[in-house]
Amino acid sequence: MSGLLATYEWGALPWRKLEVVVFKLQKRIYKAPQARDSRRVHQLQRLLLKSRAAKLLAVRRVTQDNRGKHTAGVDGIKSLTPKQRLTTAAPLEALPTGKPAGRIWIPKPGKDEQRPLSIPTLYDRARQALVKQAMEPQWEAKFEPNSYGFRPGRSAHDAIGAIYGAINKQPKYVLDADIAKCFDRIDRKALLRKTDTFANLQRLIKPSKEAIKRHYRQLAETINRNKTARQENLIRQLNPVIAGWSYYYRAVVSKKVFHTLDQKLYHRLARWARHRHPQKGRRWVVNRYWRANKGKNWVFGGPNGPALNLHASVAIVRHAKVKGDASPYDGNWSYWATRRGHHPGVSKSLARLLKIQQGRCQACGLVFTPQALIEIHHLDGDHRNNRYCNLAAVHRHCHDQIHGGYHELSQQLGTHDKSLIN
């Protein structure tokens, strides 16, 4: 590692080569359990844990990729400079103990309750990421086909697809278990043993009432915050929320829900418009803020400005469930790259970029893995220019490298504001 530190700076490390080295080891770990060679598994895992490439990738994961990269543990360290990242990676070891985790309380979604969240130190997070690289391929080789929680390349949409396939022909019984303090009391040893359970559900799979309420509340709050804003500014705030929610739920029975939300949103916007012009009649208000579009009837938008997205304009497309024996460590990149572009959680613009780029990062050229964090880079630095010729899908860490001046796509130095990315 010392030779590597003396040769490279953080931004100039051969990241593509490092990722290839680590993946080759992970693929061998994945294949070994299938051949029932436990001794080989442990040898390869020890080799990966000592690998300089794996240590560097683990540090990059927690300091550049993760959303909580600027959250401090009990040591008070929130972020690391490039030089400190190299220093952290050098002695990184998978020891069984670490520093105490800081604990904070965060609200539960849609409830007045709170739940505890433990925050390890950055160094311990890097150690966890290192161990995960070694252990996950082994687990992936052992899991049963219909398990979806916390697995790479699998999502809630795959679980929904499995449930739908099990219940659409005949009724089934359901076991709905809520284990109190599950993660505090669970038997870790038993958890590591493979289980053979699968729950089914007999009903239409659609957005929950709580999810619908949260979404409409978000739309309503956005409208209330913008009572005096220009119409086009309000539309630009509402459109990403509507599009993201609709694309996520397009894989289930949502058509009626979409139409209901559009109706409620119309009445909310009508009140917003009448509040701005209390002396004007309904017809004047409608002509001022709505326009007729071909095939869409009346839409909220000025004659020359943007139009409001409609939930119901998003077509219902059934999600193709992941193959039971597929894993990101099997090396079938064409399969995983295609799935990434068709996932309901992927925006229309990102899906198109993935198709244009054939599932590869524009910066490093590597295929996007299912767990890769992707951002959209504006080539000319102008975030108002959203033409596809000005956009590129890149890894989050590659995006940091670009705006740090370490890549050929770099247009400027300094920190990039990710809040501006659509």
Side-chain angles (χ1 to χ4, degrees):
M1 176 68 78
S2 58
L4 191 66
L5 296 180
T7 306
Y8 293 100
E9 292 185 357
W10 180 265
L13 284 167
W15 290 111
R16 178 175 179 139
K17 182 178 179 180
L18 298 179
E19 290 198 45
V20 171
V21 168
V22 171
F23 177 75
K24 285 183 177 180
L25 272 174
Q26 289 178 317
K27 186 176 180 181
R28 292 170 67 189
I29 294 172
Y30 175 75
K31 295 292 185 183
Q34 297 175 333
R36 301 182 182 277
D37 191 347
S38 298
R39 182 179 178 183
R40 187 62 174 163
V41 171
H42 298 150
Q43 288 176 341
L44 292 169
Q45 286 175 330
R46 285 192 291 269
L47 183 61
L48 190 145
L49 291 172
K50 295 178 181 179
S51 164
R52 295 179 293 183
K55 293 179 181 181
L56 288 166
L57 290 175
V59 172
R60 187 183 70 176
R61 182 74 178 181
V62 301
T63 60
Q64 289 187 273
D65 282 344
N66 290 351
R67 293 190 181 276
K69 60 188 177 184
H70 297 305
T71 305
V74 293
D75 58 357
I77 299 175
K78 289 186 176 181
S79 60
L80 300 177
T81 64
K83 186 175 181 180
Q84 289 172 328
R85 292 171 192 162
L86 285 171
T87 305
T88 301
L92 201 62
E93 292 182 333
L95 298 175
T97 59
K99 291 186 178 181
R103 174 161 285 201
I104 62 175
W105 292 84
I106 60 175
K108 291 184 177 181
K111 298 182 180 180
D112 295 331
E113 302 175 26
Q114 289 188 322
R115 67 177 181 88
L117 177 65
S118 297
I119 305 175
T121 64
L122 273 176
Y123 184 77
D124 285 343
R125 274 178 262 174
R127 290 165 58 189
Q128 291 172 353
L130 176 62
V131 173
K132 182 173 180 284
Q133 290 181 96
M135 300 299 294
E136 193 170 61
Q138 179 190 9
W139 297 339
E140 277 294 299
K142 291 185 174 183
F143 277 129
E144 62 269 15
N146 283 318
S147 65
Y148 303 97
F150 303 101
R151 290 186 62 185
R154 298 177 180 232
S155 67
H157 291 286
D158 295 306
I160 290 170
I163 293 171
Y164 179 78
I167 69 172
N168 67 344
K169 300 297 183 183
Q170 60 182 358
K172 298 285 183 72
Y173 285 101
V174 179
L175 173 63
D176 184 7
D178 186 6
I179 306 172
K181 297 186 177 180
C182 174
F183 289 102
D184 292 334
R185 300 175 179 175
I186 198 166
D187 186 339
R188 265 72 177 178
K189 293 182 179 179
L191 182 64
L192 292 176
R193 294 194 296 267
K194 182 178 177 180
T195 60
D196 188 20
T197 60
F198 179 64
N200 296 302
L201 188 64
Q202 184 193 10
R203 69 178 188 185
L204 291 178
I205 303 172
K206 56 186 180 180
S208 68
K209 292 181 179 179
E210 292 76 15
I212 297 169
K213 287 180 180 178
R214 283 198 304 269
H215 176 59
Y216 180 70
R217 189 184 305 122
Q218 184 180 7
L219 297 175
E221 289 173 353
T222 302
I223 295 171
N224 291 338
R225 288 196 306 268
N226 289 273
K227 290 181 178 179
T228 60
R230 297 172 60 185
Q231 183 184 23
E232 52 264 37
N233 291 340
L234 174 61
I235 291 173
R236 288 192 176 98
Q237 292 185 53
L238 291 173
N239 273 351
V241 179
I242 295 171
W245 198 87
S246 301
Y247 270 89
Y248 184 82
Y249 284 106
R250 69 175 180 169
V252 296
V253 183
S254 304
K255 202 65 179 178
K256 186 176 179 180
V257 173
F258 285 174
H259 281 290
T260 301
L261 283 168
D262 285 336
Q263 291 174 359
K264 294 178 69 173
L265 190 56
Y266 165 77
H267 291 299
R268 192 90 190 190
L269 290 170
R271 290 198 298 271
W272 174 87
R274 290 197 297 270
H275 175 79
R276 296 162 69 91
H277 305 282
Q279 305 302 322
K280 300 291 185 179
R282 284 176 177 265
R283 180 169 294 181
W284 185 95
V285 171
V286 169
N287 290 332
R288 170 69 175 78
Y289 290 102
W290 276 263
R291 69 176 189 237
N293 271 17
K294 292 182 179 180
K296 292 186 179 180
N297 299 322
W298 290 86
V299 295
F300 186 71
N304 300 314
L308 183 72
N309 287 337
L310 295 176
H311 297 82
S313 66
V314 177
I316 301 299
V317 179
R318 298 293 174 223
H319 178 67
K321 186 176 77 72
V322 65
K323 293 179 181 177
D325 59 350
S327 171
Y329 299 105
D330 58 16
N332 189 356
W333 292 121
S334 60
Y335 173 77
W336 290 106
T338 301
R339 282 191 61 81
R340 189 68 187 255
H342 290 112
H343 193 275
V346 173
S347 68
K348 185 177 180 180
S349 58
L350 179 55
R352 183 169 177 180
L353 288 174
L354 290 174
K355 184 176 181 179
I356 294 171
Q357 298 172 202
Q358 298 181 334
R360 294 180 178 273
C361 174
Q362 187 74 10
C364 69
L366 290 174
V367 172
F368 289 115
T369 62
Q371 59 267 49
L373 301 168
I374 306 176
E375 292 182 347
I376 296 179
H377 173 59
H378 291 73
L379 298 176
D380 65 359
D382 183 2
H383 292 273
R384 295 169 297 181
N385 181 5
N386 289 312
R387 292 178 297 176
Y388 284 103
C389 61
N390 186 48
L391 303 178
V394 296
H395 289 103
R396 180 178 292 175
H397 49 260
C398 290
H399 211 182
D400 278 346
Q401 298 294 103
I402 292 168
H403 288 280
Y406 293 111
H407 195 275
E408 60 184 11
L409 293 179
S410 298
Q411 296 293 322
Q412 58 186 19
L413 295 176
T415 303
H416 179 60
D417 184 4
K418 306 256 186 340
S419 66
L420 298 177
I421 298 176
N422 295 324

Short mmCIF file of all heavy atoms in Angstrom, two decimals, residues 139-189:
data_model
loop_
_atom_site.label_atom_id
_atom_site.label_comp_id
_atom_site.label_asym_id
_atom_site.label_seq_id
_atom_site.Cartn_x
_atom_site.Cartn_y
_atom_site.Cartn_z
N TRP A 139 -22.90 -14.92 0.39
CA TRP A 139 -24.33 -14.96 0.75
C TRP A 139 -25.19 -15.05 -0.50
O TRP A 139 -26.19 -15.76 -0.53
CB TRP A 139 -24.70 -13.73 1.56
CG TRP A 139 -23.99 -13.63 2.87
CD1 TRP A 139 -23.40 -14.66 3.57
CD2 TRP A 139 -23.77 -12.45 3.64
NE1 TRP A 139 -22.83 -14.19 4.72
CE2 TRP A 139 -23.04 -12.83 4.79
CE3 TRP A 139 -24.10 -11.12 3.49
CZ2 TRP A 139 -22.66 -11.93 5.77
CZ3 TRP A 139 -23.73 -10.22 4.47
CH2 TRP A 139 -23.01 -10.61 5.58
N GLU A 140 -24.81 -14.32 -1.53
CA GLU A 140 -25.60 -14.31 -2.76
C GLU A 140 -25.68 -15.71 -3.38
O GLU A 140 -26.67 -16.08 -3.99
CB GLU A 140 -24.98 -13.35 -3.78
CG GLU A 140 -25.40 -11.89 -3.58
CD GLU A 140 -26.87 -11.69 -3.83
OE1 GLU A 140 -27.33 -11.94 -4.96
OE2 GLU A 140 -27.59 -11.29 -2.91
N ALA A 141 -24.63 -16.49 -3.21
CA ALA A 141 -24.61 -17.84 -3.77
C ALA A 141 -25.52 -18.79 -2.99
O ALA A 141 -25.89 -19.84 -3.49
CB ALA A 141 -23.18 -18.38 -3.78
N LYS A 142 -25.88 -18.42 -1.74
CA LYS A 142 -26.64 -19.32 -0.88
C LYS A 142 -28.12 -18.96 -0.77
O LYS A 142 -28.94 -19.81 -0.45
CB LYS A 142 -26.04 -19.33 0.53
CG LYS A 142 -24.68 -20.01 0.62
CD LYS A 142 -24.22 -20.08 2.06
CE LYS A 142 -22.92 -20.88 2.19
NZ LYS A 142 -22.50 -21.01 3.60
N PHE A 143 -28.47 -17.70 -1.00
CA PHE A 143 -29.85 -17.28 -0.78
C PHE A 143 -30.82 -18.00 -1.73
O PHE A 143 -30.47 -18.33 -2.87
CB PHE A 143 -29.99 -15.77 -0.99
CG PHE A 143 -29.62 -14.97 0.23
CD1 PHE A 143 -28.71 -13.93 0.12
CD2 PHE A 143 -30.18 -15.24 1.46
CE1 PHE A 143 -28.37 -13.17 1.23
CE2 PHE A 143 -29.84 -14.50 2.57
CZ PHE A 143 -28.93 -13.46 2.46
N GLU A 144 -32.05 -18.21 -1.24
CA GLU A 144 -33.07 -18.83 -2.07
C GLU A 144 -33.57 -17.83 -3.11
O GLU A 144 -33.40 -16.62 -2.96
CB GLU A 144 -34.24 -19.34 -1.21
CG GLU A 144 -34.97 -18.27 -0.45
CD GLU A 144 -34.39 -18.07 0.93
OE1 GLU A 144 -33.27 -18.53 1.20
OE2 GLU A 144 -35.07 -17.42 1.74
N PRO A 145 -34.20 -18.31 -4.19
CA PRO A 145 -34.59 -17.42 -5.29
C PRO A 145 -35.53 -16.29 -4.88
O PRO A 145 -35.40 -15.17 -5.34
CB PRO A 145 -35.27 -18.37 -6.28
CG PRO A 145 -34.70 -19.71 -5.98
CD PRO A 145 -34.45 -19.72 -4.51
N ASN A 146 -36.49 -16.57 -3.99
CA ASN A 146 -37.49 -15.57 -3.64
C ASN A 146 -37.19 -14.87 -2.32
O ASN A 146 -38.02 -14.80 -1.41
CB ASN A 146 -38.89 -16.20 -3.58
CG ASN A 146 -39.45 -16.42 -4.97
OD1 ASN A 146 -39.33 -15.57 -5.84
ND2 ASN A 146 -40.03 -17.59 -5.20
N SER A 147 -36.00 -14.35 -2.19
CA SER A 147 -35.64 -13.48 -1.07
C SER A 147 -35.16 -12.16 -1.66
O SER A 147 -34.40 -12.15 -2.63
CB SER A 147 -34.56 -14.11 -0.19
OG SER A 147 -33.35 -14.25 -0.90
N TYR A 148 -35.61 -11.05 -1.08
CA TYR A 148 -35.40 -9.75 -1.73
C TYR A 148 -34.84 -8.67 -0.80
O TYR A 148 -34.34 -7.66 -1.27
CB TYR A 148 -36.72 -9.27 -2.35
CG TYR A 148 -37.29 -10.25 -3.33
CD1 TYR A 148 -38.27 -11.16 -2.96
CD2 TYR A 148 -36.80 -10.31 -4.64
CE1 TYR A 148 -38.77 -12.09 -3.85
CE2 TYR A 148 -37.29 -11.24 -5.54
CZ TYR A 148 -38.27 -12.13 -5.14
OH TYR A 148 -38.75 -13.04 -6.03
N GLY A 149 -34.96 -8.83 0.50
CA GLY A 149 -34.55 -7.76 1.40
C GLY A 149 -33.05 -7.57 1.47
O GLY A 149 -32.29 -8.53 1.67
N PHE A 150 -32.61 -6.33 1.27
CA PHE A 150 -31.19 -5.95 1.42
C PHE A 150 -30.25 -6.77 0.53
O PHE A 150 -29.12 -7.10 0.91
CB PHE A 150 -30.75 -6.07 2.89
CG PHE A 150 -31.59 -5.27 3.84
CD1 PHE A 150 -32.58 -5.88 4.60
CD2 PHE A 150 -31.42 -3.92 3.95
CE1 PHE A 150 -33.37 -5.15 5.46
CE2 PHE A 150 -32.21 -3.17 4.82
CZ PHE A 150 -33.18 -3.79 5.58
N ARG A 151 -30.73 -7.12 -0.66
CA ARG A 151 -29.88 -7.84 -1.60
C ARG A 151 -29.60 -6.97 -2.82
O ARG A 151 -30.49 -6.26 -3.31
CB ARG A 151 -30.57 -9.14 -2.05
CG ARG A 151 -30.66 -10.19 -0.97
CD ARG A 151 -31.21 -11.49 -1.53
NE ARG A 151 -30.34 -12.05 -2.56
CZ ARG A 151 -30.66 -13.13 -3.28
NH1 ARG A 151 -31.81 -13.74 -3.07
NH2 ARG A 151 -29.83 -13.59 -4.19
N PRO A 152 -28.38 -6.99 -3.33
CA PRO A 152 -28.04 -6.16 -4.49
C PRO A 152 -28.81 -6.61 -5.72
O PRO A 152 -28.97 -7.82 -5.97
CB PRO A 152 -26.53 -6.37 -4.66
CG PRO A 152 -26.27 -7.71 -4.04
CD PRO A 152 -27.23 -7.80 -2.88
N GLY A 153 -29.30 -5.66 -6.49
CA GLY A 153 -30.00 -5.98 -7.73
C GLY A 153 -31.45 -6.38 -7.53
O GLY A 153 -32.13 -6.71 -8.50
N ARG A 154 -31.96 -6.34 -6.29
CA ARG A 154 -33.34 -6.71 -6.01
C ARG A 154 -34.03 -5.58 -5.26
O ARG A 154 -33.40 -4.85 -4.51
CB ARG A 154 -33.41 -8.02 -5.21
CG ARG A 154 -32.81 -9.17 -5.99
CD ARG A 154 -32.80 -10.46 -5.20
NE ARG A 154 -32.20 -11.51 -6.02
CZ ARG A 154 -32.77 -12.68 -6.26
NH1 ARG A 154 -33.95 -12.97 -5.74
NH2 ARG A 154 -32.17 -13.58 -7.01
N SER A 155 -35.33 -5.47 -5.48
CA SER A 155 -36.05 -4.33 -4.92
C SER A 155 -37.44 -4.75 -4.49
O SER A 155 -37.86 -5.91 -4.68
CB SER A 155 -36.16 -3.23 -5.98
OG SER A 155 -37.00 -3.65 -7.05
N ALA A 156 -38.19 -3.80 -3.94
CA ALA A 156 -39.58 -4.05 -3.56
C ALA A 156 -40.41 -4.46 -4.76
O ALA A 156 -41.35 -5.26 -4.65
CB ALA A 156 -40.17 -2.80 -2.89
N HIS A 157 -40.08 -3.94 -5.95
CA HIS A 157 -40.84 -4.29 -7.15
C HIS A 157 -40.67 -5.77 -7.51
O HIS A 157 -41.61 -6.40 -8.02
CB HIS A 157 -40.40 -3.41 -8.32
CG HIS A 157 -40.79 -1.98 -8.17
ND1 HIS A 157 -42.09 -1.55 -8.33
CD2 HIS A 157 -40.08 -0.89 -7.84
CE1 HIS A 157 -42.14 -0.24 -8.12
NE2 HIS A 157 -40.95 0.18 -7.83
N ASP A 158 -39.50 -6.33 -7.23
CA ASP A 158 -39.31 -7.76 -7.47
C ASP A 158 -40.14 -8.59 -6.49
O ASP A 158 -40.73 -9.61 -6.87
CB ASP A 158 -37.83 -8.14 -7.35
CG ASP A 158 -36.98 -7.49 -8.43
OD1 ASP A 158 -37.32 -7.66 -9.61
OD2 ASP A 158 -36.00 -6.83 -8.10
N ALA A 159 -40.19 -8.15 -5.23
CA ALA A 159 -41.02 -8.84 -4.25
C ALA A 159 -42.50 -8.76 -4.63
O ALA A 159 -43.24 -9.75 -4.52
CB ALA A 159 -40.80 -8.23 -2.86
N ILE A 160 -42.94 -7.60 -5.11
CA ILE A 160 -44.32 -7.44 -5.56
C ILE A 160 -44.61 -8.38 -6.72
O ILE A 160 -45.66 -9.01 -6.79
CB ILE A 160 -44.58 -5.97 -5.96
CG1 ILE A 160 -44.58 -5.07 -4.72
CG2 ILE A 160 -45.90 -5.83 -6.71
CD1 ILE A 160 -44.58 -3.59 -5.03
N GLY A 161 -43.66 -8.48 -7.66
CA GLY A 161 -43.84 -9.38 -8.80
C GLY A 161 -43.96 -10.83 -8.36
O GLY A 161 -44.77 -11.60 -8.90
N ALA A 162 -43.17 -11.22 -7.36
CA ALA A 162 -43.24 -12.59 -6.85
C ALA A 162 -44.58 -12.85 -6.17
O ALA A 162 -45.19 -13.93 -6.33
CB ALA A 162 -42.09 -12.84 -5.87
N ILE A 163 -45.05 -11.88 -5.40
CA ILE A 163 -46.34 -12.03 -4.71
C ILE A 163 -47.47 -12.12 -5.73
O ILE A 163 -48.36 -12.97 -5.63
CB ILE A 163 -46.57 -10.84 -3.75
CG1 ILE A 163 -45.56 -10.89 -2.60
CG2 ILE A 163 -47.99 -10.86 -3.20
CD1 ILE A 163 -45.55 -9.66 -1.74
N TYR A 164 -47.42 -11.25 -6.72
CA TYR A 164 -48.47 -11.27 -7.74
C TYR A 164 -48.51 -12.62 -8.47
O TYR A 164 -49.58 -13.18 -8.73
CB TYR A 164 -48.24 -10.13 -8.74
CG TYR A 164 -49.27 -10.09 -9.85
CD1 TYR A 164 -50.54 -9.55 -9.63
CD2 TYR A 164 -48.98 -10.60 -11.11
CE1 TYR A 164 -51.48 -9.52 -10.64
CE2 TYR A 164 -49.92 -10.58 -12.13
CZ TYR A 164 -51.17 -10.03 -11.89
OH TYR A 164 -52.10 -10.01 -12.89
N GLY A 165 -47.33 -13.14 -8.80
CA GLY A 165 -47.28 -14.43 -9.48
C GLY A 165 -47.81 -15.57 -8.63
O GLY A 165 -48.31 -16.56 -9.15
N ALA A 166 -47.75 -15.42 -7.30
CA ALA A 166 -48.20 -16.48 -6.40
C ALA A 166 -49.70 -16.42 -6.11
O ALA A 166 -50.31 -17.43 -5.80
CB ALA A 166 -47.43 -16.41 -5.09
N ILE A 167 -50.31 -15.22 -6.22
CA ILE A 167 -51.71 -15.08 -5.79
C ILE A 167 -52.70 -14.88 -6.92
O ILE A 167 -53.91 -14.91 -6.69
CB ILE A 167 -51.85 -13.89 -4.81
CG1 ILE A 167 -51.63 -12.56 -5.55
CG2 ILE A 167 -50.92 -14.03 -3.63
CD1 ILE A 167 -51.93 -11.35 -4.73
N ASN A 168 -52.21 -14.64 -8.14
CA ASN A 168 -53.17 -14.27 -9.20
C ASN A 168 -53.95 -15.46 -9.75
O ASN A 168 -54.88 -15.27 -10.52
CB ASN A 168 -52.44 -13.54 -10.34
CG ASN A 168 -51.48 -14.45 -11.08
OD1 ASN A 168 -51.13 -15.50 -10.59
ND2 ASN A 168 -51.06 -14.02 -12.25
N LYS A 169 -53.61 -16.68 -9.37
CA LYS A 169 -54.33 -17.85 -9.87
C LYS A 169 -55.27 -18.44 -8.82
O LYS A 169 -56.36 -18.90 -9.14
CB LYS A 169 -53.33 -18.92 -10.32
CG LYS A 169 -52.40 -18.46 -11.44
CD LYS A 169 -53.16 -18.12 -12.72
CE LYS A 169 -52.20 -17.74 -13.83
NZ LYS A 169 -52.92 -17.34 -15.07
N GLN A 170 -54.83 -18.46 -7.57
CA GLN A 170 -55.65 -19.04 -6.52
C GLN A 170 -55.34 -18.36 -5.19
O GLN A 170 -54.27 -17.81 -5.00
CB GLN A 170 -55.39 -20.55 -6.40
CG GLN A 170 -53.95 -20.90 -6.07
CD GLN A 170 -53.74 -22.40 -6.01
OE1 GLN A 170 -54.67 -23.18 -6.16
NE2 GLN A 170 -52.50 -22.82 -5.77
N PRO A 171 -56.32 -18.36 -4.26
CA PRO A 171 -56.10 -17.69 -2.97
C PRO A 171 -55.04 -18.39 -2.13
O PRO A 171 -54.85 -19.60 -2.22
CB PRO A 171 -57.48 -17.74 -2.30
CG PRO A 171 -58.18 -18.87 -2.97
CD PRO A 171 -57.67 -18.93 -4.37
N LYS A 172 -54.35 -17.61 -1.33
CA LYS A 172 -53.31 -18.14 -0.44
C LYS A 172 -53.46 -17.51 0.94
O LYS A 172 -54.03 -16.44 1.11
CB LYS A 172 -51.91 -17.79 -1.00
CG LYS A 172 -51.59 -18.37 -2.37
CD LYS A 172 -51.29 -19.84 -2.28
CE LYS A 172 -50.89 -20.40 -3.64
NZ LYS A 172 -49.57 -19.95 -4.08
N TYR A 173 -52.91 -18.19 1.94
CA TYR A 173 -52.88 -17.64 3.29
C TYR A 173 -51.68 -16.70 3.43
O TYR A 173 -50.66 -16.85 2.75
CB TYR A 173 -52.80 -18.75 4.33
CG TYR A 173 -54.10 -19.48 4.53
CD1 TYR A 173 -54.30 -20.73 3.94
CD2 TYR A 173 -55.12 -18.92 5.29
CE1 TYR A 173 -55.50 -21.40 4.11
CE2 TYR A 173 -56.32 -19.58 5.46
CZ TYR A 173 -56.51 -20.83 4.88
OH TYR A 173 -57.68 -21.49 5.03
N VAL A 174 -51.81 -15.77 4.36
CA VAL A 174 -50.75 -14.79 4.57
C VAL A 174 -50.31 -14.82 6.03
O VAL A 174 -51.16 -14.85 6.92
CB VAL A 174 -51.24 -13.36 4.23
CG1 VAL A 174 -50.13 -12.35 4.48
CG2 VAL A 174 -51.71 -13.30 2.80
N LEU A 175 -49.03 -14.81 6.26
CA LEU A 175 -48.49 -14.64 7.61
C LEU A 175 -47.82 -13.28 7.67
O LEU A 175 -46.80 -13.05 7.02
CB LEU A 175 -47.48 -15.75 7.95
CG LEU A 175 -46.75 -15.56 9.29
CD1 LEU A 175 -47.74 -15.60 10.45
CD2 LEU A 175 -45.69 -16.65 9.46
N ASP A 176 -48.42 -12.37 8.41
CA ASP A 176 -47.87 -11.02 8.56
C ASP A 176 -47.27 -10.91 9.95
O ASP A 176 -48.00 -10.83 10.95
CB ASP A 176 -48.99 -9.99 8.36
CG ASP A 176 -48.46 -8.56 8.41
OD1 ASP A 176 -47.23 -8.40 8.47
OD2 ASP A 176 -49.28 -7.62 8.39
N ALA A 177 -45.97 -10.94 10.04
CA ALA A 177 -45.29 -10.95 11.34
C ALA A 177 -44.56 -9.64 11.57
O ALA A 177 -43.81 -9.17 10.72
CB ALA A 177 -44.30 -12.11 11.39
N ASP A 178 -44.80 -9.05 12.73
CA ASP A 178 -44.11 -7.83 13.14
C ASP A 178 -43.37 -8.14 14.43
O ASP A 178 -43.98 -8.27 15.49
CB ASP A 178 -45.12 -6.69 13.33
CG ASP A 178 -44.42 -5.36 13.62
OD1 ASP A 178 -43.18 -5.33 13.55
OD2 ASP A 178 -45.11 -4.37 13.93
N ILE A 179 -42.07 -8.29 14.36
CA ILE A 179 -41.28 -8.70 15.51
C ILE A 179 -40.80 -7.47 16.26
O ILE A 179 -40.06 -6.63 15.73
CB ILE A 179 -40.08 -9.56 15.08
CG1 ILE A 179 -40.56 -10.74 14.23
CG2 ILE A 179 -39.30 -10.05 16.28
CD1 ILE A 179 -39.44 -11.53 13.60
N ALA A 180 -41.21 -7.34 17.53
CA ALA A 180 -40.82 -6.19 18.33
C ALA A 180 -39.31 -6.19 18.57
O ALA A 180 -38.73 -7.20 18.95
CB ALA A 180 -41.58 -6.20 19.66
N LYS A 181 -38.69 -5.04 18.33
CA LYS A 181 -37.24 -4.87 18.55
C LYS A 181 -36.44 -5.96 17.83
O LYS A 181 -35.53 -6.56 18.40
CB LYS A 181 -36.91 -4.84 20.03
CG LYS A 181 -37.54 -3.67 20.77
CD LYS A 181 -37.08 -3.60 22.21
CE LYS A 181 -37.67 -2.39 22.92
NZ LYS A 181 -37.25 -2.29 24.33
N CYS A 182 -36.80 -6.19 16.56
CA CYS A 182 -36.21 -7.30 15.82
C CYS A 182 -34.69 -7.21 15.78
O CYS A 182 -33.99 -8.17 16.13
CB CYS A 182 -36.79 -7.31 14.41
SG CYS A 182 -36.03 -8.52 13.31
N PHE A 183 -34.15 -6.05 15.39
CA PHE A 183 -32.71 -5.96 15.20
C PHE A 183 -31.94 -5.91 16.51
O PHE A 183 -30.75 -6.17 16.55
CB PHE A 183 -32.38 -4.74 14.35
CG PHE A 183 -32.78 -4.90 12.90
CD1 PHE A 183 -33.92 -4.29 12.42
CD2 PHE A 183 -32.04 -5.68 12.05
CE1 PHE A 183 -34.31 -4.45 11.10
CE2 PHE A 183 -32.41 -5.86 10.73
CZ PHE A 183 -33.55 -5.25 10.25
N ASP A 184 -32.63 -5.58 17.61
CA ASP A 184 -31.96 -5.58 18.91
C ASP A 184 -31.86 -6.98 19.49
O ASP A 184 -30.92 -7.31 20.22
CB ASP A 184 -32.72 -4.68 19.89
CG ASP A 184 -32.63 -3.21 19.51
OD1 ASP A 184 -31.64 -2.86 18.84
OD2 ASP A 184 -33.52 -2.43 19.87
N ARG A 185 -32.84 -7.84 19.17
CA ARG A 185 -32.93 -9.13 19.83
C ARG A 185 -32.70 -10.33 18.91
O ARG A 185 -32.66 -11.45 19.37
CB ARG A 185 -34.32 -9.29 20.47
CG ARG A 185 -34.62 -8.22 21.52
CD ARG A 185 -36.04 -8.34 22.03
NE ARG A 185 -36.34 -7.35 23.05
CZ ARG A 185 -37.55 -7.19 23.59
NH1 ARG A 185 -38.55 -7.93 23.18
NH2 ARG A 185 -37.73 -6.26 24.52
N ILE A 186 -32.55 -10.09 17.63
CA ILE A 186 -32.49 -11.21 16.68
C ILE A 186 -31.24 -12.06 16.91
O ILE A 186 -30.19 -11.57 17.33
CB ILE A 186 -32.51 -10.66 15.23
CG1 ILE A 186 -32.89 -11.77 14.26
CG2 ILE A 186 -31.17 -10.04 14.86
CD1 ILE A 186 -33.25 -11.26 12.88
N ASP A 187 -31.39 -13.35 16.69
CA ASP A 187 -30.28 -14.30 16.82
C ASP A 187 -29.43 -14.23 15.55
O ASP A 187 -29.83 -14.73 14.51
CB ASP A 187 -30.85 -15.70 17.02
CG ASP A 187 -29.76 -16.73 17.31
OD1 ASP A 187 -28.58 -16.46 16.98
OD2 ASP A 187 -30.08 -17.80 17.86
N ARG A 188 -28.26 -13.61 15.64
CA ARG A 188 -27.42 -13.43 14.44
C ARG A 188 -26.99 -14.77 13.84
O ARG A 188 -26.91 -14.91 12.62
CB ARG A 188 -26.18 -12.61 14.80
CG ARG A 188 -26.29 -11.13 14.52
CD ARG A 188 -27.21 -10.44 15.49
NE ARG A 188 -27.25 -9.00 15.25
CZ ARG A 188 -28.01 -8.17 15.94
NH1 ARG A 188 -28.78 -8.65 16.91
NH2 ARG A 188 -28.02 -6.89 15.68
N LYS A 189 -26.70 -15.74 14.69
CA LYS A 189 -26.27 -17.03 14.17
C LYS A 189 -27.38 -17.70 13.38
O LYS A 189 -27.14 -18.29 12.32
CB LYS A 189 -25.80 -17.92 15.32
CG LYS A 189 -24.52 -17.42 16.00
CD LYS A 189 -24.08 -18.36 17.10
CE LYS A 189 -22.81 -17.86 17.78
NZ LYS A 189 -22.38 -18.76 18.88
#
